[in-house]
Amino acid sequence: MAVAAITTTPKQKSSPQPKPKTKPKKQPLPAGQPREWYESHNRRLKAMRLAIALLDTGVYNPVNASNRRIRTLAQRIGIHPPSNTTCRMVRSLIHYAN
């Protein structure tokens, strides 16, 4: 009894490869600004990161974003505890997100 040999190669599945997550290049901040400008810039960035994290956890109402909750989340995601001013900024960002 003869056995047929398979001579064709199987078709490769062409599944799209996921793009690797790349972080955007960090650019240095502009020189020559007063110290307050750098402080407020970094405060806004921190508030934005915290607001996004809160929205991802399901906190959509600023009333539910207490200082304690914001600081606990900051500790969980590895950010230094925010000040009262930054917590206020986080709540205002959540307010405008809705």
Side-chain angles (χ1 to χ4, degrees):
M1 177 161 158
V3 177
I6 299 177
T7 57
T8 60
T9 58
K11 249 187 176 178
Q12 296 285 337
K13 287 186 176 179
S14 61
S15 61
Q17 300 238 348
K19 293 183 180 179
K21 292 184 179 180
T22 58
K23 292 184 179 179
K25 289 175 103 177
K26 286 189 175 181
Q27 295 182 350
L29 294 175
Q33 299 291 333
R35 181 172 177 81
E36 294 81 26
W37 184 89
Y38 296 105
E39 289 173 357
S40 67
H41 174 77
N42 289 330
R43 185 185 306 272
R44 286 190 305 263
L45 290 178
K46 186 178 199 175
M48 197 175 348
R49 272 187 249 122
L50 288 167
I52 291 168
L54 279 170
L55 290 169
D56 286 344
T57 59
V59 178
Y60 301 112
N61 194 346
V63 175
N64 296 334
S66 64
N67 287 358
R68 183 177 176 192
R69 179 176 249 168
I70 293 170
R71 289 185 177 123
T72 303
L73 181 69
Q75 182 181 13
R76 191 170 25 161
I77 63 176
I79 299 176
H80 286 285
S83 65
N84 290 340
T85 305
T86 306
C87 290
R88 213 171 18 254
M89 280 180 125
V90 170
R91 282 189 287 278
S92 69
L93 286 171
I94 292 173
H95 173 75
Y96 287 113
N98 291 333

